[in-house]
Amino acid sequence: MLDYTAPSTVEEAVRILADAPGTAKVLSGGTDLLVQLRSGRAKPGLIVDIKKIPGISGIREQDGGFVIGAATPGAVIGECEALQRAWPGVVEAANLIGSTQVQGRASLAGNLCNASPAADSVPALIAARATCVVAGPNGRREVAVESIATGPGRTSLSPGEFILAFHLPKRPPRSADAYLRFIPRTEMDIAVVGAAVSLTLDAGGVCADARVVLGAVAPTAILVPEAAAVVGRKLEETALAGLDHAARRACKPIDDKRGTIEYRTKVAGVLARRTATIAYERAGERR
């Protein structure tokens, strides 16, 4: 038997989740959960729909950055011009979650908590240094997005906890991001590799800060630590070659029907170069 409830406050949702006798699942967008229910992959005893909680959906500017409600549909994210100007890579990634129809429901929280290694929005959020507000029995805490997924289908959230919102920081001048993925088909497919890059340049076009994140090449999205080697340099061929090498070294992919280890590793390097080039060009256009 499957029960359903739609609490109207954060406190009520936390209490229901914490007191659930069996497995409880949070319904944020539902585009992953409903498919899992129909296929029998997920068999919870309770569905907790958080969409009726005030403020759980929507985008607002705060302290020069943005707060995105956990249940905000991808379609709403794609229509927010201010967010698009500040964080185009995050919007690009969110808009790749499913089809146009799916975009009416798909949420960043659902994409993150489904904990797929190939989730599109997660690398972009990590590259952006996004954090999420988590509510639970012990109150609220703010954690980095990269701390949530711990493996395929697994998260660090404790019983009774769920994500309320995402925080994107204020953009420095001359900075921008980008997201690209490689898929077998032209649309609506799972990424073979995803790459997100966020760069900040100085007045001379030299990289002052760089974040490069890969998806679908490890159990979780991974930050490429050696990508910091581009800091202090312009993004010319030598720097791009170093970034390509760093991306390949960071990969820990598997063989599956979408690609071999060798293929995914090579694509990761190529995609990192291309994504960085887009972010660099965008950053150079900003003042």
Side-chain angles (χ1 to χ4, degrees):
M1 180 178 177
L2 177 61
D3 291 327
Y4 168 90
T5 185
S8 58
T9 67
V10 173
E11 293 73 21
E12 184 184 4
V14 168
R15 177 181 55 77
I16 291 170
L17 287 167
D19 293 344
T23 301
K25 289 284 189 179
V26 172
L27 179 64
S28 174
T31 56
D32 284 312
L33 179 58
L34 294 180
V35 171
Q36 292 168 6
L37 288 172
R38 288 171 181 159
S39 68
R41 288 173 52 204
K43 298 180 180 179
L46 174 65
I47 298 295
V48 181
D49 187 345
I50 63 173
K51 293 193 294 296
K52 292 186 178 181
I53 297 174
I56 202 75
S57 182
I59 302 169
R60 68 180 189 275
E61 296 185 47
Q62 178 178 296
D63 300 326
F66 293 84
V67 178
I68 305 174
T72 306
V76 173
I77 293 171
E79 292 171 356
C80 182
E81 293 182 0
L83 184 63
Q84 169 70 38
R85 287 192 300 270
W87 293 100
V90 171
V91 175
E92 285 169 340
N95 284 345
L96 286 173
I97 305 172
S99 63
T100 300
Q101 294 91 335
V102 168
Q103 283 288 308
R105 283 287 187 179
S107 67
L108 295 181
N111 200 227
L112 174 60
C113 293
N114 188 51
S116 166
D120 283 306
S121 69
V122 178
L125 289 169
I126 295 173
R129 291 189 172 89
T131 60
C132 49
V133 178
V134 176
N138 296 319
R140 301 185 186 189
R141 59 191 179 98
E142 188 168 356
V143 298
V145 167
E146 56 262 42
S147 299
I148 297 298
T150 58
R154 301 193 305 273
T155 74
S156 62
L157 298 178
S158 301
E161 288 190 324
F162 66 98
I163 293 176
L164 280 178
F166 293 86
H167 288 176
L168 288 169
K170 181 180 179 180
R171 265 293 193 196
R174 294 181 294 276
S175 65
D177 64 331
Y179 177 77
L180 292 175
R181 71 175 182 185
F182 178 78
I183 56 175
R185 299 182 295 177
T186 57
E187 60 183 340
M188 288 191 296
D189 212 336
I190 299 171
V192 174
V193 179
V197 178
S198 181
L199 299 175
T200 298
L201 312 181
D202 67 14
V206 173
C207 289
D209 182 59
R211 298 264 290 185
V212 178
V213 183
L214 300 173
V217 293
T220 64
I222 52 172
L223 186 65
V224 181
E226 293 181 20
V230 302
V231 174
R233 308 167 69 180
K234 290 188 176 182
L235 205 65
E236 297 171 337
E237 181 55 34
T238 301
L240 285 170
L243 179 59
D244 185 322
H245 181 68
R248 296 188 192 208
R249 282 175 54 86
C251 289
K252 299 177 183 178
I254 60 171
D255 284 317
D256 66 13
K257 62 183 180 182
R258 290 179 292 124
T260 64
I261 291 173
E262 293 77 13
Y263 182 63
R264 285 180 134 138
T265 300
K266 181 176 181 178
V267 170
V270 173
L271 216 57
R273 289 173 63 115
R274 292 179 181 176
T275 311
T277 300
I278 294 170
Y280 187 78
E281 290 174 352
R282 287 175 176 171
E285 295 169 355
R286 302 189 178 197
R287 295 293 182 267

